[in-house]
Each structure stands twice: as C-alpha cells, then as structure tokens.
Amino acid sequence: NSILASDVPKLNREGVLSNAKWSAVDRVTEQNALQAGRELFNLQCLSCHTVNGVRNDIVPLVERYAYRGIVAQLTGQGKIRRYMPPFVGTEEEKEALASYIYTEILHKKVPEHPFTPVGLEKGVQEKVEIPPFNPEQDKYVLLVWNDLGMHCVSDCDEMYSFLPPANTLEAQLIKRGPVPDLVTGGVELTYEVEPGHENPSAHVRFWEFSEPLYGVKLEKNVGLAGKGLKGKFDFEAEREIFVARWIPVVPYRDDGTLNPYPVFTVQARDAETGKLLIETKVVAPVSTEADCYMCHGGEPRKMGSGISTETAANILQAHDRNEGTGLYEEALAGKPRLCQSCHADPALGAEGEERVLNFSASMHGWHANYMSGMGDESCMYCHPVAYDGLTRCLRGIHGSGESRVVCSQCHGKLEDLAISLLNGQKEVPGTPELMRNLSPRMVSDTKEVKPRTPWLENPDCFACHEGLQAPGPNPVAFNLWNETTKELYRLYNDNALIKCIACHGSTHAIYPAKNPFDRYRDVIQPMQYSRMPYTIGANKSCAVCHVKEMEDPIHHENMWRMVRNKGGFDEF
C-alpha cells in the first residue's frame, strides 16, 4: 500500500482518504476530522513512528510544537531536510492529521482561531492632548515622525536578539512665511517620553545582555546610540533633519499595562535664549508582538506580547538541530548571540558573515517552505499586522476602509517575498536548498522575480501612484523596487527640502491613520496645525506654513485636492 511518486499529484488534488478504499472515511468533514486524522496517521506516520513506544516515539518529537507548528512541520516535510518524506494529501487532510496529533496524542486543545483577538483590554487607552497652535501668532511649525512607522523589539535577550529597543524620531522645523524657511541652525530640539514608559530596563532584559549581544555595556535606560527616554536631537546636515536615534522605548509600562504607541513631547527652543518656539507631540510605535509561540510552542512573554524564554529556547534548539550550531548551550552559559553577528542586516548596519544568508533572506526563505500556500495571515505570525491583534501596525489610510491594502500587494505572498530576497543571494551556500521547492504566486516564473536587498529595496509610492494620481482598483506593487535608496518613502524629498514623510506621516501610518489605542494618537500634528486628520497641507490648508492661502499648488497636485472620507474616518 505504499504511495508511488506518480500517485502524489492526484492524491494532493483529490485526497488520500478518497483513494484509500480500505479507509473508514473518504473525506474530511467537521464531524469526522479526528477520525480522518487517525486514518491519515495510520497511513503516513505509523510505519515509522510509535506513540509512547520504543521506536521513533512521536511524542517527544512534536510535544514542543503548537498546533500551527505541527501544520507547518507537515507542510515543510521533505523540502529542505530529506529525513522525512513529504506529506501527501489535501490541505484539509493535513489539518485533520495535525489536529489528531495535537488533541489525541498530545492531549492539547486546538485553538479555535489562529489569531484569537486579544482585545485592547490588555493595553491602556488614554486620550492624547493635542498641543496648541495659534496660526495668527505662532511663527514655527515643528514636524516630527517615526522613521519606520513601527519598530519591533525581540525581548528574549537572555536567549538571542535580532531587534533591540531602538526607536528613531526625525524632525524638521519650519519658519512660517509667504516662502517658508527650513530652520537648520540656532535652535535646540528636545524630546521626552510620556509618564509610564521612562523605565524600560524594568521590563526587558536588554541591558543585562547588551555586552554579549551588541558588544557594549550600557547604562540602564540608555540606548545603543547613547539616547535615553529624554534628551536632545542631533542635526544631520546631509539630510537637513534633526534626529534622535535609537531611543530604547518599549511598550510595557510601569503600571503593569501595555501600550505599543507611547507619545513623546518634542520642543524647539532658541539655542541662545532658551525661548520656546513651538511644541508638538509624536507617537513612537514599538511592538514586541511576534507570535512565534503559535508554531514553536510556549506562551507570549506577558500581556499577550513578547517572546518567552520557552519559545526562544525552542527556536534556538531548532536552529542547532538544523545548522549544527550550539546557540542554546551558549545562551544557557550567559552568552546569547545577536542573529546579525552571522547574518547581514542593513536594518542594524550588520555585515554578517560572507557565506551566510542575510537575516531577511534566511528567515523568509526558511519559513516560506513551512508556510507555503497561505494568504496574508502568514505575515501575521511574525509581524504585528493582524487586524484583530494587539498592535495592529497597518493603521494608516492604506490599511483601512474601502482602500484597504493587504501585505502581499506590496511585498508579495510569502513565497514571492522569499524568492525576491533569495534571488539577491544566489551565490550564498544554502540558497538552492531553500529555493528548490518554492514557486512564486504573483508571477509565473521564479526568474521573473527581481532580486532585492532587504530594507533598501521596496516598492515606492510611484509603483501605485503613477503621476501622483490615485491608483486603480486592487493595485499591485510587488516586483517594482526602487532604483536608489533616495526613492524610499522614508527618505524621499518633495520638490522642496521637506521630507514627504513629514507631511504625510510614517510608513504604515500615513494620514489619516486610525490608532487602535486612541483615534488621534497617530494624527497629533495634523490635528494641531490643520484641525483635521489629513496630510498637512491637504484641503488647501497651505496657510499652515505659508501663512496665506495659495492660488496654485506648490507641492504636488494631490495636496491641493479635497480629501474625502472614503477610508472609514467619519468619526474625525
């Protein structure tokens, strides 16, 4: 009764059970799922594995996995590591087998939904106070933004790290006038986090392990660039912006609650006299919501967020098994490793090792083999983008209402994203093994996927907004990478010296942005200067900077148009 290679396409299409005439069930239904899973276990697993027996006991091999981890293991069998044959059958049969293993063999309960809404009851919701602005008297406009729209933190430093607490704020100060001036000197910009977030070292262990991880012993609550939770901006002359780099803020608060959107107060003062010129506020988004536990087992570290020690240990042990490393034992000895000490990563400026895949290529390339065939929910297992999750990172105009854009429209399905990264590393050992069983889903052939470098090559605005016009229905920007880093949205200039991001808002939080913790939290400056949540300068609000209404658009035409409430923002 062995399965022949020639039978596999048919069995994957029609199912094993419908072709196994001796089986007690011929298809998977909601009522017989566990019985179907038992039949599939007997057909595909029992010949090699026993249950609590002496020969290849399956229990210790799978007990560390969560339900979705068992599904992933079945998906990836025989693709990268050939010690087990591929699973044969339909997606429904795969899930039935995973359910049987998880509930009947491991005696655990399958989650009702892979993304059970945690609700915001685990976080704190506070109304942000909009700073004052008097258009008749105030002479300055201060624009401040987070450079990425969301900074994620891997808060399992005792085991490993790949993203430290390091949130960057950038700013431009404009002196109002018929022809506004960009202020680049003679001023001092300062920042200070809101109460409750001042003591991150009480909530994460980054400062205990900063030396083995990042090669520097840091004072508590001071980040890798020397910034604390209160301090001064530095002026970056080349880009003509003020920068407060790598502020070590975390979402955990001193009162035992959580808010991924801490607010900073930013002030601009005359450098000589200390006179306050203008004050504003800005959100510094930071998340520890990486749901690794959904596959690798364990639970979130706390308050529904974070990577627990158990989950991180399971991940390290998997790395050690597959790559022949000893990272788990090193971590137990108090010497955790930074992932980018081996894997290059432009996000941290890490060069990595020459013959090792960069961090993004290795992570997406490996997991694409174990999570193939999924929709945009595959992104939600690692990134805080679930629409009913705790953080809800995609909160800007592109992620809400009628115009909602999903991850794959820009980044591709997981397989496409992985191929684009791996195509940029074809000469690195390990790439052929990761790509062998990956097929693109957004284009017809792997060769059509353009190679890209993570963080430095992405779709830019013009991939969808040709001629700065609104895109058509269901736009797709995958495979349309920027040619130079200056074309990245976070670095792009308007036709003047003002950064696009300064008026439009941060990536993934482009105005009007709906924040799950407070509707005005991501639109503080538009509400302060324009009294409406849209792009600064929209709806002919040019007087914010120009002190008078303009007869013709100086900036691009879309800034001139009336913004309509097509994105579900009527509550504003």
Side-chain angles (χ1 to χ4, degrees):
N1 294 326
S2 62
I3 296 174
L4 301 177
S6 58
D7 297 328
V8 171
K10 177 183 179 182
L11 296 178
N12 283 337
R13 183 176 64 254
E14 300 177 1
V16 172
L17 297 176
S18 63
N19 287 277
K21 303 306 180 184
W22 57 89
S23 173
V25 295
D26 61 0
R27 63 188 178 92
V28 179
T29 67
E30 187 175 344
Q31 292 72 31
N32 73 1
L34 290 180
Q35 183 183 4
R38 177 189 286 273
E39 292 284 345
L40 290 161
F41 183 85
N42 292 340
L43 286 167
Q44 296 198 50
C45 307
L46 199 57
S47 58
C48 293
H49 294 284
T50 57
V51 180
N52 294 315
V54 296
R55 179 170 55 87
N56 291 337
D57 183 6
I58 197 171
V59 174
L61 298 177
V62 299
E63 62 183 354
R64 74 183 66 200
Y65 295 120
Y67 165 71
R68 295 303 306 181
I70 295 175
V71 174
Q73 180 63 29
L74 293 173
T75 301
Q77 277 182 189
K79 291 183 177 178
I80 303 174
R81 299 290 178 254
R82 300 299 186 95
Y83 61 89
M84 291 181 69
F87 171 81
V88 179
T90 64
E91 288 297 313
E92 292 79 11
E93 289 178 335
K94 184 197 302 178
E95 293 190 4
L97 175 56
S99 297
Y100 172 74
I101 294 172
Y102 198 69
T103 60
E104 297 296 309
I105 295 179
L106 297 182
H107 306 294
K108 297 179 181 181
K109 184 179 179 181
V110 173
E112 294 181 4
H113 187 276
F115 295 101
T116 303
V118 297
L120 299 184
E121 71 278 357
K122 294 189 177 183
V124 60
Q125 298 187 62
E126 297 173 340
K127 297 298 181 184
V128 66
E129 189 173 319
I130 305 299
F133 176 72
N134 187 335
E136 303 300 323
Q137 297 179 4
D138 287 327
K139 298 179 180 179
Y140 294 88
V141 168
L142 178 57
L143 303 176
V144 190
W145 60 92
N146 169 255
D147 66 334
L148 298 178
M150 176 59 66
H151 178 74
C152 295
V153 176
S154 54
D155 60 341
C156 52
D157 302 281
E158 70 278 11
M159 287 285 130
Y160 59 82
S161 175
F162 55 85
L163 284 172
N167 207 304
T168 296
L169 298 179
E170 299 177 341
Q172 288 188 309
L173 180 64
I174 300 168
K175 188 172 183 179
R176 304 174 70 218
V179 179
D181 288 330
L182 185 63
V183 180
T184 59
V187 294
E188 180 180 87
L189 268 60
T190 61
Y191 65 88
E192 183 174 3
V193 75
E194 66 178 319
H197 290 274
E198 307 100 324
N199 192 26
S201 63
H203 308 290
V204 297
R205 303 183 68 183
F206 167 73
W207 283 270
E208 293 180 52
F209 297 98
S210 64
E211 194 164 11
L213 289 171
Y214 294 92
V216 57
K217 184 68 175 176
L218 295 171
E219 181 183 343
K220 285 186 177 181
N221 301 327
V222 174
L224 289 168
K227 300 294 185 184
L229 280 301
K230 176 181 180 181
K232 298 178 181 179
F233 282 75
D234 302 309
F235 183 68
E236 192 174 292
E238 183 179 355
R239 296 174 60 204
E240 297 196 292
I241 61 172
F242 294 87
V243 181
R245 195 175 304 282
W246 291 4
I247 302 169
V249 66
V250 299
Y252 309 115
R253 292 164 47 104
D254 292 342
D255 61 4
T257 58
L258 176 146
N259 192 322
Y261 299 99
V263 171
F264 281 72
T265 297
V266 181
Q267 294 182 336
R269 294 181 179 272
D270 185 283
E272 291 187 7
T273 66
K275 178 184 176 182
L276 179 64
L277 304 177
I278 189 70
E279 174 180 303
T280 192
K281 293 182 180 180
V282 64
V283 70
V286 56
S287 176
T288 54
E289 186 189 359
D291 294 332
C292 309
Y293 74 95
M294 288 189 176
C295 288
H296 290 278
E299 297 290 337
R301 181 174 290 274
K302 55 183 177 181
M303 289 178 276
S305 194
I307 304 173
S308 68
T309 300
E310 179 184 358
T311 302
N314 290 344
I315 291 170
L316 282 189
Q317 290 171 339
H319 191 288
D320 290 343
R321 287 195 305 273
N322 286 296
E323 303 299 332
T325 51
L327 301 178
Y328 178 63
E329 293 299 328
E330 290 182 27
L332 292 182
K335 296 180 179 180
R337 294 280 295 276
L338 174 67
C339 299
Q340 289 88 336
S341 63
C342 291
H343 300 276
D345 188 0
L348 294 184
E351 296 182 359
E353 295 184 6
E354 184 177 356
R355 294 179 63 77
V356 175
L357 283 168
N358 69 49
F359 185 64
S360 292
S362 60
M363 288 290 285
H364 291 94
W366 181 275
H367 287 92
N369 280 274
Y370 287 85
M371 302 171 73
S372 58
M374 298 177 68
D376 288 86
E377 72 273 12
S378 63
C379 309
M380 301 174 189
Y381 283 99
C382 298
H383 301 280
V385 294
Y387 297 119
D388 55 5
L390 178 60
T391 306
R392 309 182 195 184
C393 166
L394 187 56
R395 59 205 188 277
I397 184 63
H398 292 121
S400 300
E402 296 176 9
S403 60
R404 173 178 284 185
V405 174
V406 296
C407 305
S408 59
Q409 285 174 256
C410 287
H411 302 284
K413 301 293 186 183
L414 181 54
E415 296 95 320
D416 302 284
L417 174 58
I419 292 169
S420 71
L421 294 165
L422 292 168
N423 271 345
Q425 299 232 285
K426 284 186 175 180
E427 305 304 318
V428 179
T431 297
E433 288 75 13
L434 293 181
M435 292 188 68
R436 180 170 49 209
N437 291 287
L438 292 181
S439 297
R441 297 166 63 189
M442 305 285 284
V443 297
S444 59
D445 190 88
T446 298
K447 296 178 181 178
E448 295 179 34
V449 180
K450 297 177 183 177
R452 59 180 286 264
T453 302
W455 296 97
L456 302 182
E457 291 174 305
N458 278 302
D460 59 26
C461 303
F462 304 105
C464 293
H465 296 274
E466 294 185 24
L468 294 169
Q469 302 300 307
N474 301 315
V476 174
F478 172 73
N479 225 19
L480 300 174
W481 319 135
N482 56 289
E483 295 183 3
T484 68
T485 55
K486 291 181 179 180
E487 294 171 335
L488 292 169
Y489 170 67
R490 67 179 186 268
L491 301 177
Y492 211 93
N493 276 1
D494 192 16
N495 52 8
L497 296 174
I498 306 301
K499 300 295 180 184
C500 297
I501 195 172
C503 292
H504 284 273
S506 297
T507 308
H508 293 164
I510 292 175
Y511 304 141
K514 295 176 66 175
N515 191 290
F517 284 78
D518 172 11
R519 64 178 181 174
Y520 293 127
R521 214 167 185 86
D522 270 301
V523 291
I524 296 172
Q525 290 158 57
M527 294 302 298
Q528 176 183 5
Y529 300 125
S530 306
R531 300 293 185 266
M532 51 187 171
Y534 308 114
T535 301
I536 294 171
N539 293 355
K540 297 187 178 182
S541 57
C542 308
V544 169
C545 294
H546 290 267
V547 304
K548 65 177 182 179
E549 296 304 339
M550 309 299 289
E551 295 181 4
D552 297 297
I554 293 177
H555 304 276
H556 61 76
E557 184 182 352
N558 279 16
M559 291 279 285
W560 191 252
R561 293 176 179 164
M562 290 295 291
V563 178
R564 305 297 182 185
N565 276 334
K566 293 184 178 180
F569 294 91
D570 292 329
E571 72 272 21
F572 286 115

